[in-house]
Amino acid sequence: MAILIVDDNATNLLLLAQLARGASALPTNTFDDPVDALEWCEDHTPELVLVDYRMPTLSGIEFISLFRRMPGLGDVPIIMITTENEARVREQAREAGATDFVAKPVEATEF
């Protein structure tokens, strides 16, 4: 079991991993490419997923949709990290399977 973190920005990956380690004893697995993260999920079941909304290969919504279609991953909590406050984006993310949202820049107290 691990916390899966997917963000194309290396600084964000480091920050989110540090915050996750401070909140949980679970190991973190970080990916800067959502396709690589999905491949990892073929053989692993994360306890929690943190995923960025804006990424070049797949958007966070596309990632969530593909993740939710994978066997055994339907109940894993997914938190989307986003600067988007638009109701449309959040609605699409929820429809794809997002559990909750955290706004960027991520504050330790909110996390």
Side-chain angles (χ1 to χ4, degrees):
M1 287 197 278
I3 296 173
L4 174 62
I5 304 171
V6 186
D7 194 313
D8 62 311
N9 181 295
T11 302
N12 290 342
L13 279 177
L14 289 172
L15 172 65
L16 292 170
Q18 182 179 12
L19 290 170
R21 283 194 287 286
S24 172
L26 291 173
T28 58
N29 288 63
T30 60
F31 291 89
D32 62 1
D33 184 333
V35 174
D36 291 342
L38 288 170
E39 288 175 5
W40 180 84
C41 291
E42 291 175 1
D43 297 318
H44 303 87
T45 301
E47 189 74 19
L48 172 68
V49 176
L50 304 172
V51 60
D52 185 31
Y53 169 60
R54 292 189 184 272
M55 295 182 286
T57 315
L58 293 172
S59 73
I61 293 171
E62 292 168 323
F63 172 87
I64 292 168
S65 181
L66 292 168
F67 180 88
R68 287 293 188 217
R69 292 184 200 149
M70 298 177 82
L73 301 180
D75 294 329
V76 175
I78 300 175
I79 298 174
M80 180 175 278
I81 312 296
T82 182
T83 57
E84 297 292 327
N85 286 324
E86 290 184 31
R88 176 187 56 79
V89 170
R90 290 179 182 246
E91 181 180 329
Q92 289 174 341
R94 283 199 197 283
E95 287 174 2
T99 309
D100 206 350
F101 302 88
V102 172
K104 280 185 179 181
V106 177
E107 295 182 26
T109 54
E110 180 183 12
F111 188 85

